[in-house]
Amino acid sequence: LTQKIITTMSSTSSYPNNRTKHIIESKSTEAQQDTEYECAPFFVDLKSLSESQLDHLRSVGLLGGLCVEVDDSIPPQGLSSKAAKLLGVDETQQHDDDDEPRVELLEEIHPSSAKNKVVGARDPYAIRLVRSAHINYLSNALSEPLSRGFISLDASHPWMIYWCLHSLDLLQHFDPPSDTSLDSGGINDLETLQKSQLLKRIVSTLKHCWTDMPLQFDIDEVKMNTKLSQLHKIQQQQEEDISSTNAEGTNEKIEIIGGGFGGGPQQMPHCAPTYAAVLSLCIIASIGCGQEDTMNKSHNPYHEAGKLAMELLNEKRLPMYAFFFT
């Protein structure tokens, strides 16, 4: 197949037929053309695939068509015109009011039993999301050492944390179980404890990504800004050296310790990883403290992690403001 593709690419200058046209060719457009040639074989029309290839896509969950423990209480939905156009299939069964492709959340798909299954009434071309596979991938990315190929992301620790944590939160990975009571020792469940420890480790990692930075402000600037004045007063009290900062005169400067989150431990603070770190801490705080109205604090296994995240946010809020203010 590779030899056939290479032969096809070298034998015709119009492959692919719909490549981007440019008024002036340059090294950049030539590089783009090479990329289009290289990627074109991987974009295929589903109708051109053999039945065995389609069965393989179904078996790994990328296409529907297998009745995998379908919930009969959910009404069947047809294929939308948009999905049909994207997938290149017949749209005769579509519903007029269905404007978007439907996403199915499946816990498991068993290829070995595919031949024994009968296609159900549900949309066979619905987009399948294998929840457990995504959760395993994201959890491993957070808890296991990354390969050396990720060295280029060494200054993006908070971003990688946020990407994985946000995805796990959207997958409801940290939602409390609905069918079991935490009063019956659920907090001692190994999986729940592992999730709780993971959230605590994330808070600890982000805390180590924080870096203090001395900042210089004019006296009048501090006096006119309520938040800067509040931060300055707090730091004076911590240092117990109020007299040393009572300088007068418009040319005098006041030093305030601000800071932010860097891309990793002992890295310079930057607004981008600070943004990712704050978002991650907000997610953990909401997981651990956002359900207190419906759940007792002692029964929430993530309360301690949420409390640590909230404390870190409150502790660094004013120093971050001073850092961004500059």
Side-chain angles (χ1 to χ4, degrees), residues 18-319:
N18 58 343
R19 72 164 292 251
T20 306
K21 306 296 182 181
H22 299 278
I23 298 177
I24 300 176
E25 296 290 349
S26 64
K27 291 184 178 180
S28 297
T29 61
E30 291 175 358
Q32 180 174 339
Q33 177 180 349
D34 292 341
T35 302
E36 292 176 357
Y37 284 173
E38 183 178 353
C39 296
F42 299 98
F43 292 88
V44 297
D45 186 350
L46 290 180
K47 291 187 292 185
S48 67
L49 299 180
S50 65
E51 190 61 30
S52 61
Q53 291 172 317
L54 290 173
D55 285 340
H56 172 71
L57 293 177
R58 296 186 185 104
S59 67
V60 297
L62 296 179
L63 275 184
L66 300 179
C67 183
V68 188
E69 303 299 330
V70 176
D71 187 359
D72 294 331
S73 63
I74 303 178
Q77 299 184 26
L79 182 63
S80 70
S81 58
K82 182 176 180 180
K85 183 177 180 181
L86 290 173
L87 298 174
V89 297
D90 186 13
E91 53 179 298
T92 55
Q93 297 181 347
Q94 73 169 22
H95 288 288
D96 294 335
D97 57 348
D98 188 11
D99 296 326
E100 295 294 337
R102 182 169 50 81
V103 177
E104 287 189 45
L105 299 179
L106 303 181
E107 292 301 328
E108 294 291 344
I109 289 182
H110 305 283
S112 59
S113 59
K115 294 182 179 179
N116 299 326
K117 297 290 183 179
V118 179
V119 177
R122 303 269 299 271
D123 178 6
Y125 289 97
I127 301 171
R128 298 295 178 94
L129 179 61
V130 187
R131 183 192 295 261
S132 59
H134 285 273
I135 289 177
N136 290 336
Y137 174 83
L138 296 165
S139 299
N140 289 336
L142 283 174
S143 58
E144 300 294 334
L146 299 177
S147 64
R148 59 184 181 181
F150 287 89
I151 189 65
S152 61
L153 294 176
D154 185 60
S156 300
H157 288 209
W159 278 115
M160 290 188 287
I161 289 174
Y162 169 67
W163 293 328
C164 295
L165 183 62
H166 184 216
S167 300
L168 287 172
D169 188 37
L170 290 176
L171 289 167
Q172 302 175 333
H173 182 55
F174 299 104
D175 284 10
S178 57
D179 55 346
T180 57
S181 174
L182 292 176
D183 292 328
S184 60
I187 195 172
N188 295 320
D189 178 75
L190 178 60
E191 183 179 357
T192 304
L193 288 175
Q194 288 176 338
K195 295 178 184 179
S196 178
Q197 290 298 322
L198 175 63
L199 295 179
K200 293 178 186 177
R201 288 174 55 195
I202 290 176
V203 175
S204 177
T205 298
L206 294 175
K207 188 174 183 179
H208 283 83
C209 291
W210 174 268
T211 302
D212 288 330
M213 177 168 286
L215 306 170
Q216 298 290 332
F217 293 93
D218 294 333
I219 291 181
D220 293 339
E221 192 175 24
V222 175
K223 290 181 178 179
M224 294 174 60
N225 190 303
T226 305
K227 293 182 179 179
L228 290 179
S229 298
Q230 180 182 356
L231 177 60
H232 183 221
K233 184 177 180 179
I234 293 174
Q235 293 180 355
Q236 282 181 319
Q237 294 173 349
Q238 292 175 346
E239 296 174 0
E240 297 182 350
D241 190 13
I242 301 178
S243 60
S244 65
T245 56
N246 280 335
E248 296 181 356
T250 56
N251 294 327
E252 296 287 349
K253 296 288 184 179
I254 291 180
E255 182 178 282
I256 294 179
I257 304 301
F261 293 92
Q266 299 181 347
Q267 295 186 21
M268 291 180 61
H270 190 274
C271 60
T274 297
Y275 177 65
V278 170
L279 291 176
S280 300
L281 291 171
C282 288
I283 291 175
I284 297 176
S286 67
I287 293 173
C289 304
Q291 301 171 344
E292 293 180 356
D293 294 338
T294 57
M295 182 183 298
N296 191 294
K297 294 181 181 179
S298 61
H299 292 166
N300 187 347
Y302 311 122
H303 174 73
E304 185 176 351
K307 182 180 178 181
L308 292 173
M310 186 66 72
E311 290 176 350
L312 185 57
L313 284 170
N314 289 330
E315 177 187 350
K316 304 303 184 183
R317 181 175 61 88
L318 288 178

